[in-house]
């Protein structure tokens, strides 16, 4: 909230009186402040409402009394619901103005869930007592709490806690039914968090993230506080982790000795590590060990789509797995009896829905069928994988969503954030709207530094090589110019967070080849970003971007920052930000706006007082999509379809 008013006042004070009072057209809409954004025509608003009202459902856990717990949105924000039978009614369990981030059933009754306020990412832990119809918080208000891990008997929850200005997490423990039982069991260092309990409740598996390429695993004796590091002195990235039922082994995801992440079993006595998944060109991204310890379900990321596999936990022998449509699988969880798995499947032309698979019967069951705002799903467009050669000969891939109408089509290049992330072909009502209603082709590239293509590819944009990923966008512009059905003269870059930096950097490098840009919660200056981002993120971001405290690196970061080169941005720019953003402070948007406008540039602005790092509320998402439509109409010359 501080930035929504103080920051805006500073912005106005920096402008000339004529610019501040006459040139800037400022309006408000609910919690939004809009500058230079026109009023939305009623037909555009009505059609967009259908796309914004498309919803998804995600698997959260097996419900104690039968059925499943899911997260979906029927009001303005996502909440927890219970579904008692396949395709049955969704009974809402939580009713908050703020979205609920996740939920897990507590053995013996109750549901543990998390939520924050206004997108500030200070997540609290809550217990919903369904029998009493009451909810209480068991974490301390004003703190940031993550990685809630429930013991097998449901008597204790462990989690990681820190403050917004602190880089170290501590490990806490409590009976969620008794908040007064809360106590710190480890004063941690860095980004450390619990992952799994041993079956006897004596030990906690902990993970510490150093960077995307390096992490560590520890075992904490809860009673004594003794801490044992499992794999010291290894420069390895781990993900997840589970104890075997007898506690003698651990199952982990690791890229040790490979360019890709594999599923491995670690013998606690000998330290021997046995790969259970084969060496391939793709990485394992998640897994779950059955409660009886006999089976493992794991998910492989193959060029953005997921493959679900089942194996024998001891031998690695393949077990029958369901044949699924193309899409991204998440949340894979065995039931207590080890007989079924539940998961979410999200496809390019269908929103996320919840499925279960019965291992013995080999039966796949769909539990939810999410609505798409009354639209005809047959009109949705699936992408195709494209490839181009960058400046140094490296092959870069992306996904192209092409309208079914004749070209040449204007283009929106949608750049993912991260940077250690990956565009994956899940359902996007925004992309489907651009393609079907505005006739825009959308290209989503996975430039160097993206996840999913091995650790060597992931490191290609680190530190001084940061702008090499921007050159990948320049090579994509060359590729677009060679396509008969695409209009290179009408191309816009679009992205959020680190993708916002990529958008702004693309404008400073290729302004003459672009029609405009949409920057959502983006970084404009690496130095001010690193100095002002929340303390719990700063050291992790320094590993990726470089340490601004080092004079030579500071000079490099300033040289490549879009703010330093903002005079090159002469095409229309739309900046969108949340006032409560703890990752990329809104000051990054404000200083960019000041500079671009001082240079005579044309910049639109949308500021949400009740949002953080991206918009989560439906009413704000609706307003954002409307404004983006008007911006695309202006810079690309498109018109909504009748």
């Amino acid at each position: 909230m501080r930035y929504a008013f103080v920051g805006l006042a500073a912005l106005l004070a920096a402008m000339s009186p004529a610019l501040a009072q006459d040139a800037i057209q400022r309006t408000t809409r609910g919690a939004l402040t809009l500058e230079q954004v026109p009023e939305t025509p009623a037909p555009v608003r009505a059609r967009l409402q259908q796309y914004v009202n498309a919803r998804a459902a995600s698997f959260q856990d097996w419900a104690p009394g039968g059925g499943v717990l899911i997260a979906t949105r029927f009001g303005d924000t996502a909440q927890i619901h219970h579904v008692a039978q396949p395709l049955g009614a969704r009974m809402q369990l939580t009713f908050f103005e703020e979205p609920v981030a996740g939920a897990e059933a507590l053995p013996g009754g109750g549901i543990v869930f998390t939520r924050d306020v206004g997108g500030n990412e200070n997540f609290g832990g809550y217990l919903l007592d369904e029998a009493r119809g009451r909810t209480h918080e068991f974490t301390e208000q004003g703190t940031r709490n993550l990685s809630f891990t429930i013991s097998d008997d449901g008597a204790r929850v462990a989690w990681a806690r820190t403050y917004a200005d602190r880089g170290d997490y501590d490990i806490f423990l409590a009976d969620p039914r008794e908040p007064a039982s809360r106590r710190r069991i480890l004063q941690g260092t860095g980004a450390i968090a619990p992952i799994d309990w041993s079956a006897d409740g004596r030990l906690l598996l902990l993970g510490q993230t150093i960077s995307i390429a390096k992490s560590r695993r520890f075992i904490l004796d809860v009673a004594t506080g003794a801490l044992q590091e499992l794999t010291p002195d290894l420069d390895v990235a781990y993900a997840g982790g589970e104890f075997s039922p007898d506690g003698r082994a651990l199952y982990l995801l690791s890229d040790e000795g490979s360019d890709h992440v594999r599923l491995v079993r670690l013998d606690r006595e000998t330290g021997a590590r046995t790969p259970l998944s084969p060496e391939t060109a793709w990485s394992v991204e998640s897994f779950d060990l059955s409660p009886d310890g006999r089976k493992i379900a794991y998910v492989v990321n193959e060029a953005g789509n997921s493959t679900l596999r089942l194996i024998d936990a001891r031998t690695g022998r393949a077990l029958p797995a369901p044949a699924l449509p193309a899409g991204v699988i998440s949340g894979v969880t065995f039931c207590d009896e080890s007989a079924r798995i539940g998961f979410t499947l999200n496809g390019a032309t269908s929103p996320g829905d919840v499925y279960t698979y019965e291992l013995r019967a080999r039966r796949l069951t769909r539990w939810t069928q999410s609505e798409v705002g009354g639209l005809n799903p047959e009109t949705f467009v699936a992408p195709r994988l494209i490839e181009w050669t960058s400046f140094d000969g490296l092959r870069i891939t992306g996904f192209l969503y092409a309208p079914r109408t004749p070209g040449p089509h204007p283009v929106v290049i949608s750049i993912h954030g991260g940077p250690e992330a990956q565009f994956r072909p899940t359902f996007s009502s925004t992309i489907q709207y651009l393609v079907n209603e505005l006739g825009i082709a959308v290209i989503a590239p996975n430039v160097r530094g993206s996840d999913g293509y091995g650790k060597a590819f992931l490191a290609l944009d680190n530190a001084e090589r940061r702008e090499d990923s921007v050159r990948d966008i320049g090579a994509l512009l060359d590729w677009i110019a060679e396509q008969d059905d695409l209009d290179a003269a009408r191309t816009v870059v679009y992205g959020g967070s680190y993708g916002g930096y990529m958008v702004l950097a693309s404008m400073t490098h290729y302004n003459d080849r672009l029609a405009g840009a949409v920057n959502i919660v983006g970084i404009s200056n690496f130095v001010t970003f690193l100095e002002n981002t929340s303390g719990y993120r700063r050291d992790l971001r320094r590993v990726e971007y470089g340490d601004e405290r080092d004079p030579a690196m500071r000079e490099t970061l300033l040289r490549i920052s879009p703010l330093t080169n903002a005079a090159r941005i002469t095409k229309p720019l739309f900046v969108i930000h949340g006032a409560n953003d703890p990752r990329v402070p809104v000051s990054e948007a404000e200083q960019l706006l000041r500079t671009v406008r001082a240079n005579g540039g044309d910049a639109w602005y949308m500021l949400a007082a009740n949002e953080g790092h991206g918009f989560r509320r439906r009413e704000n998402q609706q307003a954002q999509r409307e404004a983006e439509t008007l911006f695309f109409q202006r810079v690309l010359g498109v018109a909504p379809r009748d």
Side-chain angles (χ1 to χ4, degrees):
M1 193 69 72
R2 172 173 62 89
Y3 286 122
F5 299 99
V6 177
L8 187 56
L11 173 62
L12 295 177
M15 299 177 184
S16 68
L19 182 60
Q21 297 175 18
D22 301 328
I24 302 299
Q25 299 176 357
R26 185 172 299 104
T27 59
T28 59
R29 177 175 168 179
L32 298 174
T33 298
L34 302 95
E35 296 179 355
Q36 303 296 84
V37 179
E39 180 68 25
T40 305
V44 171
R45 180 169 296 175
R47 187 58 170 168
L48 260 169
Q49 281 180 342
Q50 292 186 267
Y51 285 87
V52 173
N53 277 321
R55 64 176 124 253
S58 62
F59 181 85
Q60 299 295 307
D61 201 0
W62 298 94
V68 297
L69 298 177
I70 70 167
T72 191
R73 185 194 68 189
F74 274 81
D76 196 39
T77 59
Q79 301 294 320
I80 303 303
H81 298 69
H82 176 236
V83 181
Q85 60 187 12
L87 300 181
R90 288 158 283 191
M91 185 175 72
Q92 190 165 339
L93 301 179
T94 60
F95 298 83
F96 299 104
E97 291 185 5
E98 303 291 348
V100 174
E104 185 174 351
L106 194 67
I111 297 171
V112 171
F113 66 90
T114 64
R115 63 182 176 92
D116 67 352
V117 177
N120 65 6
E121 298 188 10
N122 286 333
F123 296 103
Y126 298 82
L127 177 66
L128 168 63
D129 185 335
E130 295 179 86
R132 300 174 60 226
R134 292 184 179 275
T135 297
H136 66 254
E137 183 176 4
F138 59 86
T139 54
E140 181 183 353
Q141 291 189 357
T143 60
R144 173 180 166 85
N145 304 273
L146 301 171
S147 301
F148 294 92
T149 306
I150 301 173
S151 61
D152 288 5
D153 61 5
R156 293 171 296 174
V157 175
W159 70 93
R161 191 196 81 171
T162 191
Y163 297 89
D165 60 351
R166 187 168 178 260
D168 296 325
Y169 284 82
D170 297 327
I171 307 301
F172 272 73
L173 186 68
D175 178 346
R177 303 171 187 85
E178 300 292 340
S181 68
R182 181 179 65 235
R183 62 188 177 94
R184 185 173 67 182
I185 59 173
L186 178 70
Q187 183 173 345
T189 300
I192 194 167
I195 300 173
D196 191 37
W197 284 90
S198 62
D200 59 13
R202 293 179 50 251
L203 305 176
L204 265 176
L205 176 65
L206 305 179
Q208 183 188 42
T209 300
I210 309 299
S211 70
I212 189 67
K214 184 177 181 179
S215 53
R216 304 163 74 185
R217 289 294 181 268
F218 303 85
I219 290 181
L220 174 69
D221 187 307
V222 175
T224 67
L227 193 66
Q228 173 199 2
E229 185 167 3
L230 293 173
T231 51
D233 304 322
L234 287 181
D235 197 14
V236 173
Y238 295 101
E242 294 190 45
F243 284 97
S244 62
D246 61 11
R248 295 178 179 176
L250 286 165
Y251 294 88
L252 303 163
L253 299 182
S254 166
D255 65 2
E256 182 182 358
S258 173
D259 193 43
H260 295 276
V261 175
R262 293 181 292 176
L263 175 66
V264 300
R265 183 176 61 244
L266 185 152
D267 186 292
R268 288 186 57 205
E269 182 177 354
T270 66
R273 295 177 287 279
T274 305
L276 297 177
S277 61
E279 178 73 43
T280 70
W282 307 109
S283 292
V284 180
E285 58 183 332
S286 64
F287 77 98
D288 192 43
L289 175 69
S290 63
D292 63 12
R294 297 179 179 177
K295 298 172 284 291
I296 298 176
Y298 70 90
V299 179
V300 181
N301 176 353
E302 299 183 358
N305 282 304
S306 296
T307 299
L308 176 63
R309 296 178 180 170
L310 289 161
I311 60 170
D312 183 287
R314 292 295 303 174
T315 66
R317 178 176 57 88
L319 301 174
L324 299 171
V328 175
I329 299 166
S330 60
V332 174
T333 306
F334 276 94
C335 69
D336 289 342
E337 297 77 23
S338 304
R340 297 177 294 165
I341 54 173
F343 56 92
T344 306
L345 176 63
N346 191 327
T349 58
S350 60
D353 273 311
V354 174
Y355 291 79
T356 62
Y357 178 68
E358 297 176 57
L359 276 66
R360 184 177 295 275
R362 302 183 186 179
R363 181 165 53 238
L364 181 69
T365 302
R366 184 173 185 169
W367 281 71
T368 64
Q369 188 164 7
S370 296
E371 300 86 347
V372 289
L375 300 167
N376 180 4
E378 297 297 323
T379 65
F380 296 151
V381 173
R384 64 181 176 91
L385 192 65
I386 61 173
E387 186 178 90
W388 63 96
T389 303
S390 195
F391 69 97
D392 56 356
L394 185 68
R395 303 295 286 177
I396 306 295
T397 62
F399 291 90
L400 168 62
Y401 294 77
R404 293 189 174 96
T405 54
H409 304 290
V411 180
V412 167
I413 301 175
S414 180
I415 310 174
H416 68 71
E420 313 99 336
Q422 178 187 17
F423 178 86
R424 306 186 67 179
T426 56
F427 182 77
S428 167
S429 63
T430 299
I431 290 177
Q432 296 298 335
Y433 175 80
L434 295 178
V435 174
N436 283 325
E437 303 296 331
L438 299 182
I440 297 173
V442 177
I443 298 177
N446 282 314
V447 298
R448 71 189 67 206
S450 299
D451 200 2
Y453 304 93
K455 59 186 179 184
F457 189 87
L458 191 69
L460 289 177
D461 68 339
N462 285 357
E464 292 84 356
R465 295 177 289 180
R466 178 66 46 204
E467 288 189 315
D468 286 355
S469 59
V470 182
R471 295 184 180 95
D472 293 340
I473 299 298
L476 175 56
L477 293 174
D478 294 337
W479 183 89
I480 291 171
E482 296 170 355
Q483 310 306 309
D484 293 337
D485 58 343
L486 301 179
D487 189 346
R490 292 190 296 158
T491 298
V492 163
V493 279
Y494 176 103
S497 191
Y498 177 79
Y501 156 74
M502 288 289 292
V503 161
L504 296 173
S506 296
M507 287 295 288
T508 65
H509 282 265
Y510 310 113
N511 178 85
D512 59 332
R513 303 175 65 182
L514 294 167
V518 179
N519 162 39
I520 306 166
V521 297
I523 300 167
S524 63
N525 183 319
F526 280 115
V527 170
T528 56
F529 158 70
L530 290 167
E531 290 175 341
N532 296 318
T533 191
S534 293
Y536 59 82
R537 291 176 47 81
R538 187 171 294 118
D539 286 342
L540 292 174
R541 295 298 83 197
R542 282 171 173 157
V543 174
E544 170 64 31
Y545 299 130
D547 193 332
E548 84 288 358
R549 297 168 298 184
D550 175 78
M553 179 53 65
R554 187 182 187 92
E555 182 180 352
T556 297
L557 292 172
L558 287 172
R559 176 177 55 79
I560 68 174
S561 289
L563 188 68
T564 304
N565 304 289
R568 302 174 187 172
I569 302 176
T570 64
K571 302 293 178 62
L573 175 67
F574 188 8
V575 177
I576 300 167
H577 221 104
N580 305 317
D581 192 340
R583 303 187 188 193
V584 181
V586 72
S587 52
E588 291 296 300
E590 293 178 345
Q591 63 189 8
L592 177 71
L593 284 165
R594 275 198 302 271
T595 303
V596 170
R597 286 173 173 170
N599 292 337
D602 179 10
W604 296 15
Y605 187 36
M606 174 177 283
L607 175 69
N610 58 352
E611 299 280 11
H613 197 63
F615 291 4
R616 301 183 299 175
R617 296 173 180 270
R618 181 175 58 179
E619 61 181 356
N620 293 336
Q621 292 173 348
Q622 170 83 23
Q624 178 182 340
R625 301 295 174 247
E626 291 174 14
E628 288 171 352
T629 297
L630 301 181
F631 185 80
F632 292 139
Q633 284 184 271
R634 176 182 173 187
V635 302
L636 296 178
V638 296
R641 189 181 65 183
D642 292 333

